[in-house]
Amino acid sequence: MLDATTRAAAAALLAELQALGLTLATAESCTGGLVSAVLTAVPGSSATLLAGYVTYSNAAKARMLGVPEPMLATHGAVSEPVARAMAEGALRDSGADLAVSLTGIAGPGGATPGKPVGLVHIAASRRGGETLHRRCVFPGDRDAVRAASVATALGLVGELARGSAAPGGAPV
């Protein structure tokens, strides 16, 4: 399901995070642990990846990541506020420097008015810093949506890590 390009991106991201002295946690819904899986397929990933949360249900999002139940009720699980809260909750619970979250509708069912199949919200958060967010609508079947989500999440983590580094690559 995950191509060689995504696997290479995971290895490069881990090397970059390790060089910056940063650790990572994942919080996944629609990808069901694929981000963690592609990262842990890289030898030595345990030096960087501290934790992975698969929170498929709203109850798990609330219990494990501290996503407020009123937020879930108001915005729905597939939303920017929930993606941000998932990343920030993983950051809090894991003790990592960075966290990434994904929540979406991989299909083939599950679409609602305003939330089509392929809609995925991805957020990446840095301890003491900002939380980035991307709203994506990926084409294709369930496997294609999930694979594109993983690739985008890896890219967003890299963007956050690079944006948080001082000149010369030293962590801020």
Side-chain angles (χ1 to χ4, degrees):
M1 172 190 214
L2 298 173
D3 62 14
T5 302
T6 303
R7 291 192 306 272
L13 176 63
L14 287 169
E16 182 176 13
L17 295 180
Q18 191 167 16
L20 291 169
L22 298 172
T23 55
L24 177 65
T26 65
E28 302 180 65
S29 186
C30 63
T31 49
L34 283 177
V35 175
S36 292
V38 74
L39 291 168
T40 58
V42 178
S45 59
S46 62
T48 302
L49 184 66
L50 297 187
Y53 304 82
V54 176
T55 56
Y56 213 66
S57 72
N58 285 354
K61 288 173 181 66
R63 184 179 63 256
M64 295 170 68
L65 299 173
V67 177
E69 290 181 14
M71 179 186 290
L72 288 160
T74 300
H75 299 284
V78 181
S79 65
E80 178 178 347
V82 169
R84 287 176 177 273
M86 288 172 64
E88 292 162 3
L91 200 63
R92 242 185 345 268
D93 190 69
S94 69
D97 300 305
L98 306 169
V100 64
S101 70
L102 305 92
T103 183
I105 304 168
T112 61
K115 294 185 179 184
V117 169
L119 173 64
V120 181
H121 288 273
I122 304 169
S125 188
R126 180 183 169 100
R127 182 166 306 287
E130 65 184 322
T131 299
L132 303 178
H133 167 263
R134 295 289 178 275
R135 178 190 185 276
C136 306
V137 180
F138 298 114
D141 64 8
R142 185 176 184 81
D143 286 345
V145 168
R146 294 172 76 212
S149 298
V150 170
T152 302
L154 296 174
L156 189 59
V157 170
E159 182 182 326
L160 183 62
R162 285 185 294 279
S164 63
V172 174

